[in-house]
């Protein structure tokens, strides 16, 4: 996967969490070693529920920087938030972060919001759980701010929803064998220019287009 990504040579890499199993320091060290092998200057990494276990949220900041962050590149703004809470699996963004999110997304940029937990239920997951407890308010906020793309993970199921004008893209899992049924492993490749194309890529290199559309904002 790392070799394939390096071959693609992306402008931005977003990793939506669960870098570790229990948030231990040796796990963070190993995750950091792998992520450092991805040859990209601009990485947005946010923690998942596993990473917040056992004081892992403190180690996360040591290894990957702030848990709430903004990256601007060309006319793209990426806002990454920590949706985890220590030692529980439930998701939560928290209203104290809404103002930061709003300020970070000001202006007419192509807007990407990244978090670990799935903001909408994902199929093939059995009984629904761990959608952030404030998902409704966060979706309203993102919609109002004209966010173009939401990147999330957690459920190990690749999926895409369109909600109003937002694309909500759930990543599958790339590096764990914890795949459901025969869904298999994957990561997403997003191409932005005058439109947006999203491909789902498997470890064997198989590439499936899942989105191909014009967006309101051209990325220059
Ligand atoms: Fe998770």
């Amino acid at each position: 996967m790392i070799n394939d990504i390096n071959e693609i040579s992306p402008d931005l890499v977003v990793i939506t969490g669960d870098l570790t199993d229990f948030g231990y320091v040796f796990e963070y060290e190993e995750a950091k070693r792998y992520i450092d092998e991805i040859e990209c200057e601009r990485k947005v990494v946010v923690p998942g529920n596993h990473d917040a276990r056992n004081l892992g949220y403190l180690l996360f900041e040591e290894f990957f920087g702030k848990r709430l962050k903004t990256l601007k590149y060309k006319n793209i703004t990426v806002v990454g938030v920590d949706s985890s809470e220590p030692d529980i699996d439930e998701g939560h963004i928290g209203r104290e972060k809404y103002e930061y999110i709003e300020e970070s997304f000001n202006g007419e940029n192509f807007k990407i919001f990244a978090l670990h937990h799935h903001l909408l239920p994902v199929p093939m997951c059995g009984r629904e759980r761990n959608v952030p407890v404030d998902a409704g308010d966060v979706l309203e906020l993102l919609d109002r701010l004209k966010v173009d793309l939401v990147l999330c993970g957690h459920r190990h199921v690749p999926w895409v929803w369109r909600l109003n004008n937002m694309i909500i893209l759930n990543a599958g899992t790339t590096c764990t064998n914890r795949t459901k049924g025969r869904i298999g492993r994957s990561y997403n490749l997003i191409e932005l220019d005058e439109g947006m194309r999203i491909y789902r890529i498997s470890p064997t290199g198989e590439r499936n287009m899942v989105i191909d559309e014009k967006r309101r904002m051209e990325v220059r």
Side-chain angles (χ1 to χ4, degrees):
M1 176 196 71
I2 290 170
N3 291 339
D4 288 351
I5 291 172
N6 288 342
E7 210 159 287
I8 292 166
S9 186
D11 293 318
L12 292 168
V13 170
V14 179
I15 303 175
T16 49
D18 278 353
L19 314 164
T20 69
D21 208 350
F22 296 103
Y24 291 132
V25 69
F26 68 91
E27 295 179 300
Y28 270 109
E29 284 167 353
E30 189 181 9
K32 178 88 165 80
R33 273 200 304 277
Y34 281 118
I35 290 171
D36 281 350
E37 283 182 37
I38 301 175
E39 293 159 5
C40 176
E41 280 172 42
R42 299 166 210 91
K43 293 173 195 163
V44 176
V45 186
V46 294
N49 53 310
H50 285 259
D51 304 321
R53 292 174 180 171
N54 302 305
L55 287 184
Y57 56 95
L58 296 178
L59 291 175
F60 179 91
E61 296 197 334
E62 205 180 301
F63 283 89
F64 297 104
K66 288 190 185 314
R67 290 178 287 121
L68 179 62
K69 60 189 89 183
T70 301
L71 187 149
K72 289 185 191 255
Y73 173 67
K74 294 187 174 175
N75 62 336
I76 301 170
T77 301
V78 185
V79 174
V81 304
D82 177 11
S83 57
S84 71
E85 292 186 274
D87 301 306
I88 60 170
D89 291 331
E90 281 75 13
H92 174 241
I93 288 91
R95 65 197 64 235
E96 68 280 2
K97 298 191 189 112
Y98 295 1
E99 201 177 317
Y100 173 90
I101 295 168
E102 192 159 355
E103 282 171 5
S104 303
F105 277 137
N106 69 356
E108 278 298 304
N109 272 10
F110 188 95
K111 295 165 185 169
I112 302 175
F113 185 68
L115 75 166
H116 178 64
H117 290 83
H118 49 309
L119 266 184
L120 286 180
V122 180
M124 298 177 280
C125 291
R127 179 176 282 260
E128 182 46 52
R129 61 182 191 275
N130 302 160
V131 164
V133 292
D134 54 344
D137 287 338
V138 173
L139 285 167
E140 188 278 328
L141 175 69
L142 302 180
D143 186 51
R144 177 156 42 85
L145 299 174
K146 296 193 170 68
V147 168
D148 295 277
L149 180 62
V150 179
L151 303 175
C152 33
H154 186 56
R155 298 306 327 237
H156 301 192
V157 174
W159 196 258
V160 61
W161 291 119
R162 285 184 181 80
L163 185 74
N164 299 351
N165 292 312
M166 280 190 291
I167 299 287
I168 302 182
L169 182 65
N170 215 80
T173 181
T174 320
C175 323
T176 170
N177 291 324
R178 292 180 186 182
T179 54
K180 296 177 200 298
R182 297 216 178 263
I183 291 172
R185 292 178 287 152
S186 65
Y187 61 94
N188 294 314
L189 169 64
I190 301 155
E191 290 179 343
L192 298 173
D193 39 41
E194 72 281 357
M196 172 163 69
R197 292 168 301 285
I198 300 176
Y199 303 90
R200 189 174 296 152
I201 303 183
S202 74
T204 55
E206 193 187 329
R207 190 182 275 215
N208 289 302
M209 183 179 270
V210 290
I211 290 282
D212 179 11
E213 62 177 46
K214 288 287 265 191
R215 299 299 293 172
R216 63 180 182 87
M217 169 72 55
E218 182 179 345
V219 171
R220 303 173 306 274

